[in-house]
Amino acid sequence: MTDIPPQTHPSAEGDHYHFIRVRRRTAHEWLAWVIWFIVLALLLEYTLHSFSEGETQGGVLAGALLAGLFGAGVIANIMRGIDTRSRDRYQTPRKISEDSPSKNTPSQPDISGAPLSRRHFLKTVGMAGATLGVAGTTSLVAAGTNLGAPMSGGVYRRPWWVRQVDEPTTGIDWDVMQRVDASQNILAGVGALGRFGTPEENTYLENLYTENELTRLAAGQPGFTLRDLALSNAFHSTSAVMRRSFLGPQRAQRPQDIGVERWEATPEENTRMLKVAMQQMGAAMVGIVELDDRTRKLIYAVDNDGKRIEFENVEQAYEDQEKRVIPFGARWAVVYAVQMSDIAIKRAPTKIAQMTTSETYQRGLMIQTNTQEFLRGLGYQGLGEAETNGLGIAPALAVLAGLGELSRLNRVVTPEFGPMVRIFKLITDLPLAPDRPIDAGIARFCLTCKKCAEACPPSALSFETEPGWIPVGEWSNAGHQAWFEDSIRCRRYWYEELGSNCGICFSVCPFSKRNRSFMHDLVRMQVSAFPELNELTRNMDDAFGYGVQKDPGDWWELDLPEYGIDTHKD
């Protein structure tokens, strides 16, 4: 039987007609399509999340990339998938021999049984490697927490790229470090500049603060309207009258009060129990530091209010007019983070942003009080902050407890919440399992980023590439490596220019975003595992519009979650 050639309707012009046939794809082309589909899926997911969370610039840019990649793929599919050939008009197809090829008909060799050329082999192997790399990286990120190590107590397992290490990512010289007199050398809880300014200067700055506040109020400036001021003052004034105590309320029933033995379990079991209880109370994260001759240096020698803090060989903690006494048997510092509202902080510097600071301290105090009473009910002691930011050096304890890393902000940046947390601590004699410091690539990223320093209006943050060992002022403790800030310059800006606190450095930090997109997990993995790309990541953070301050005027129109925070852990 003879094959009948297909009937065609040739063009009226020219001596040839054209035919089209679908081209068989090679293995490396199929692998390229796999990569194309994965990247399209990631961009689509990121675009949808960005628009849903109000990140318009990032959503538009990702959408444009998505459309461009999709269009390029469609065009490539058409161009690579279809062949066009030319033949003589009305020519009957015939077998072309190798010895007498037709002048008008292109040779159509049968390659079905031909061996794979070196060029095609290398292309296939290369594309297979690229496909495995893209698919493998995506799978590793998706499997994040399943491959990671749990914190002590096993309550929370972090992604594998948040590594537990023996030493913090910024150095500590325990021989140089000394305990701090917080009544003299920190600015927390003092008016204006405290002892670092004269009485006349402090009075001038406090009056100027009020004047700036009222000027902005009279002008109706968004973020400083009457309702903004009223909300901020509501949290600030309420926090001021809530009782904060070193020993706690001491109202809960103790085991001996009800005729039972106190709670006994292993340190690991105790740690799990305490962390679960504190997360129920509102703590975003909890870490444990064991106190020894070195780490006790992180506890203040003198508290904010002028009382000495001393360690004594006694069973029960006590407090008198001159000192607060911690038993040597109370060997565990419980360090916990409380989330601030990133929605509010991204409207800094305004009263809306200032509000979330006061509100977070209020929740931190409630957690402290509840934890003290919980420990008392188990038969143990909980020794807390008697003053705001009292008892010890919060960032240092948080770093050793594995909550985060010390950053260019000279504050702790956590892998889960970035800098959008406040750190609190208490000490207990309940035996606990300590946590270890972490390395999530955060401090390494700070080496090249410098975004917070560039955004700081009074230039109070360090531009030095490497963290240093020499403190900028007496408000910084010697014996550790840090990007030390000029706290006086920062505080002056609050009073002389704003009439509120600031927080811009928190809001522009690339780690402060809470977008749930898978793409952000991919970037967090890159920061930890491939720091060579950090500069590109910083530039992309700018390109996608992150760090741009939000309009404070629309805050009152938002449908906010409880406390203005998203409680999921990134």
Side-chain angles (χ1 to χ4, degrees), residues 79-157:
M79 298 297 292
R80 294 287 294 166
I82 297 177
D83 279 347
T84 301
R85 294 289 183 268
S86 175
R87 295 192 181 208
D88 290 339
R89 297 180 65 188
Y90 309 119
Q91 180 181 10
T92 302
R94 57 192 176 89
K95 184 177 180 180
I96 307 296
S97 68
E98 293 184 359
D99 296 333
S100 57
S102 171
K103 179 177 70 173
N104 295 325
T105 306
S107 175
Q108 303 290 323
D110 182 10
I111 63 172
S112 59
L116 185 65
S117 70
R118 176 181 296 181
R119 178 172 174 268
H120 279 81
F121 174 76
L122 292 176
K123 287 173 67 175
T124 302
V125 170
M127 192 57 65
T131 305
L132 286 174
V134 172
T137 300
T138 305
S139 300
L140 282 173
V141 174
T145 55
N146 294 324
L147 301 178
M151 297 182 70
S152 67
V155 176
Y156 173 51
R157 183 182 294 273

Side-chain angles (χ1 to χ4, degrees), residues 445 523 526-527 533-542:
F445 188 82
V523 172
Q526 172 268 303
V527 167
L533 300 176
N534 282 348
E535 187 172 354
L536 173 63
T537 300
R538 154 68 207 267
N539 293 334
M540 293 299 292
D541 194 76
D542 290 339

Side-chain angles (χ1 to χ4, degrees), residues 220-278:
Q221 181 175 331
F224 288 87
T225 65
L226 181 59
R227 62 183 179 181
D228 302 323
L229 181 61
L231 184 62
S232 177
N233 287 341
F235 285 106
H236 180 74
S237 58
T238 305
S239 297
V241 299
M242 293 177 67
R243 187 170 183 268
R244 186 183 294 272
S245 171
F246 173 65
L247 298 175
Q250 297 187 322
R251 291 178 175 272
Q253 286 184 326
R254 298 169 298 177
Q256 58 264 40
D257 296 331
I258 54 177
V260 298
E261 297 294 325
R262 74 175 186 174
W263 173 267
E264 297 289 349
T266 67
E268 195 72 20
E269 291 170 337
N270 289 339
T271 302
R272 181 177 184 85
M273 171 188 66
L274 183 61
K275 288 186 175 184
V276 170
M278 294 184 70

Side-chain angles (χ1 to χ4, degrees), residues 45-46 49-50 52-53 513-521 524 546 565-570:
E45 189 259 1
Y46 177 81
H49 271 294
S50 295
S52 68
E53 299 188 14
K513 60 185 64 66
R514 297 302 316 283
N515 192 320
R516 291 195 186 194
S517 170
F518 181 86
M519 193 74 77
H520 285 293
D521 284 335
R524 292 184 188 99
Y546 293 113
I565 61 175
D566 185 350
T567 57
H568 88 279
K569 292 184 175 69
D570 284 334

Side-chain angles (χ1 to χ4, degrees), residues 273-293:
M273 171 188 66
L274 183 61
K275 288 186 175 184
V276 170
M278 294 184 70
Q279 287 179 338
Q280 171 62 39
M281 296 171 190
M285 299 185 66
V286 185
I288 309 298
V289 176
E290 185 169 5
L291 297 179
D292 54 26
D293 290 340

Side-chain angles (χ1 to χ4, degrees), residues 6-193:
Q7 299 299 313
T8 62
H9 300 280
S11 170
E13 298 180 358
D15 296 328
H16 297 76
Y17 70 91
H18 295 279
F19 76 95
I20 294 176
R21 70 180 177 87
V22 177
R23 178 176 169 274
R24 186 175 59 186
R25 289 184 175 85
T26 60
H28 68 265
E29 289 177 321
W30 282 114
L31 294 172
W33 289 120
V34 172
I35 295 177
W36 184 69
F37 278 116
I38 292 175
V39 176
L40 280 182
L42 291 175
L43 283 173
L44 177 61
E45 189 259 1
Y46 177 81
T47 302
L48 296 176
H49 271 294
S50 295
F51 280 119
S52 68
E53 299 188 14
E55 300 290 351
T56 307
Q57 182 172 334
V60 169
L61 183 55
L65 291 173
L66 174 66
L69 183 63
F70 179 79
V74 171
I75 293 172
N77 185 45
I78 295 173
M79 298 297 292
R80 294 287 294 166
I82 297 177
D83 279 347
T84 301
R85 294 289 183 268
S86 175
R87 295 192 181 208
D88 290 339
R89 297 180 65 188
Y90 309 119
Q91 180 181 10
T92 302
R94 57 192 176 89
K95 184 177 180 180
I96 307 296
S97 68
E98 293 184 359
D99 296 333
S100 57
S102 171
K103 179 177 70 173
N104 295 325
T105 306
S107 175
Q108 303 290 323
D110 182 10
I111 63 172
S112 59
L116 185 65
S117 70
R118 176 181 296 181
R119 178 172 174 268
H120 279 81
F121 174 76
L122 292 176
K123 287 173 67 175
T124 302
V125 170
M127 192 57 65
T131 305
L132 286 174
V134 172
T137 300
T138 305
S139 300
L140 282 173
V141 174
T145 55
N146 294 324
L147 301 178
M151 297 182 70
S152 67
V155 176
Y156 173 51
R157 183 182 294 273
R158 278 173 154 156
W160 60 265
W161 56 83
V162 180
R163 296 179 291 115
Q164 297 182 14
V165 294
D166 294 328
E167 298 293 335
T169 51
T170 48
I172 302 175
D173 188 339
W174 293 106
D175 294 331
V176 174
M177 184 172 292
Q178 300 296 324
R179 293 178 66 192
V180 173
D181 182 347
S183 66
Q184 295 294 312
N185 294 329
I186 68 170
L187 289 171
V190 302
L193 306 181

